[in-house]
Amino acid sequence: ATAASDEVSRYAIVEAGAHDGHESIKFAIACPDAEVWAFEAHPRVFQALQEAVQACGTACAKIRTQNFALGVEDKESVTFFANVPSEDVWAMPSSSLYEPAGNFSHFSTFAAVPSSVQLVRLDTFAAQTGMPPIRYLDLDAEGAELDI
């Protein structure tokens, strides 16, 4: 194969709101030729994502984890509504760039004081990193999907 054909065959799978990486890991195993880009803004949940990818081993060598939110603009800091911290990552199922409108199941324990995270446009990030063409987007951004 030539370098040109190798470049054409490169592709990305993007998971925004990757949580603990369970879906990113499935993508990496099912699509070993893909670069899987896993974005998770919540710092504690991101830590669980990194641990899961590391534990996966060589099958997950092409997973690229990123600890910021994808959205409509590039900003160093935006308000982020997160669940109350817990040792159990699954007890923190949701976080969002948008304030919850009510006490629904996903936000039943969100923190009273929001934190802040970095916000990056996907096209900005892709251009800066040389991300290959995206073939699949998995968006679980708790209301910010259309912004991505």
Side-chain angles (χ1 to χ4, degrees):
T2 66
S5 66
D6 288 344
E7 189 64 30
V8 171
S9 65
R10 289 182 61 219
Y11 68 96
I13 295 172
V14 170
E15 183 180 14
H19 201 256
D20 70 345
H22 63 280
E23 290 181 15
S24 293
I25 290 169
K26 289 178 184 177
F27 292 140
I29 292 168
C31 306
D33 294 332
E35 289 181 23
V36 179
W37 294 81
F39 298 87
E40 177 53 55
H42 193 293
R44 172 62 188 103
V45 179
F46 178 74
Q47 181 182 356
L49 166 64
Q50 287 186 304
E51 290 167 2
V53 169
Q54 185 176 11
C56 176
T58 57
C60 294
K62 290 178 132 182
I63 296 178
R64 316 290 192 252
T65 60
Q66 306 297 321
N67 186 206
F68 54 82
L70 293 175
V72 71
E73 60 187 329
D74 296 316
K75 290 186 85 169
E76 283 300 313
S77 180
V78 295
T79 302
F80 186 68
F81 298 90
N83 290 90
V84 174
S86 168
E87 289 303 312
D88 178 8
V89 173
W90 283 100
M92 299 185 292
S94 300
S95 51
S96 180
L97 295 172
Y98 296 108
E99 184 172 10
N103 192 18
F104 303 109
S105 62
H106 285 297
F107 292 105
S108 60
T109 59
F110 73 94
V113 178
S115 59
S116 64
V117 296
Q118 181 183 9
L119 184 67
V120 179
R121 288 174 50 96
L122 180 56
D123 60 344
T124 300
F125 180 80
Q128 290 174 344
T129 61
M131 179 188 288
I134 299 168
R135 288 199 186 164
Y136 185 79
L137 281 170
D138 181 352
L139 305 178
D140 186 6
E142 302 300 334
E145 289 83 1
L146 295 178
D147 293 345
I148 297 171

